[in-house]
Amino acid sequence: MKKKVVSLVLASLMTMSLFTGCLSSKQAPATKEEPKQEAKQEAKQEQKAEVKKDAKIIKISNGINEQHPAYLGSKEFERIVEEKTDGRYDIQVYANAQLGDDVKATQDVKMGTLEMVVTSASPLTGMAKEFMVFDLPFIVPNTKAADAIFDGPVGKKIGDTLDSKGIHLLAYYENGFRNLTNSAKEVKSPEDVKGLKIRTMENPIHLAAWKAMGANPTPMPFSEVFTAMQQHTIDGQENPVPTINLNKFYEVQKYMTMTGHVYGPHIMLISGKLWESLSDEDKKIFEEAAQESAKLNRAKNREMSESMVADLKAAGMTVTELTPEQQKAFQDAVQPVYTQFENEIGKELIAEFKAAIEAAK
Ligand code: TK8
């Protein structure tokens, strides 16, 4: 009799587990991405330290999704600050431009209605002309040179120009080397670019560079790019490999040319009002957390920039690597933008920038 009861109980337990199992599988996501959602959710909960009831909420706006190194760096910043302040701050990271695109979010940070943002510098030329030096095509040759700028006196000089505008730069993250993608044809030379409708960031140097190559450039906030490519209102865009892959641009873009024509930072900015209100102790914690998170961000972005080229090929993109001669043709084609913008940026700053890069070799 006892055996029967045990087997009955076992059988019902098994049915229960099967049932709950299939319930959770039903509730669980149907596509392969969604289990990641669950895992990520857990990670988020794991990562979220205990914050105090009266913790000061600090929102950080990100323009890309939760898999991107900009978001991963922001989450690391969250973890460190909450840990080191014992939960006196509740850092909340928002992806996918939920709090606004780069320009809008940065304007809100400047006004003090949003606490922080991780953004490209390129669309901020209205607020920070000095950052345009990063937009000069091919001026940054490699990541070693980039770090020499980011972590050295020239990067500090450029960053410090923001303080008088109500914004404080906490860290230089990496956006990376930008490559051209398009849906129309393989591009191996500037001639191939002629007539292509290319989305650019809202930045005069980017517009001028693609015009110099004969393209038909259209400035647009990042969050509108995927739809514009899907609807063929543009033929292509340019961004680093992690952004192209993590936003699934391969679903609407057939070709990628590894132009590497601009190396851009993502900059972690905090409202100047908020920054000035912090104690010296908290300023130090925020600065250290930002620098630590930048190390993680740059490492992840560089790893993805290498590893994800294969993913793009596997997703069906034709990836064109340029020979040195082919890349020089692009460099020559965009050379006019240097003279066109040197006065606006400042000849002295450009010279300092180039000298820092030279010294890093
Ligand atoms: C995301 C943007 C993006 C940038 C662009 O917020 O706009 O193409 O490269 O990374 O900052």
Side-chain angles (χ1 to χ4, degrees), residues 63-64 102 120 175 178 199 201 222 239 266:
I64 312 186
D102 288 358
S120 283
N175 193 356
R178 305 180 73 87
R199 174 270 176 175
M201 293 187 282
F222 181 73
N239 249 292
H266 269 144

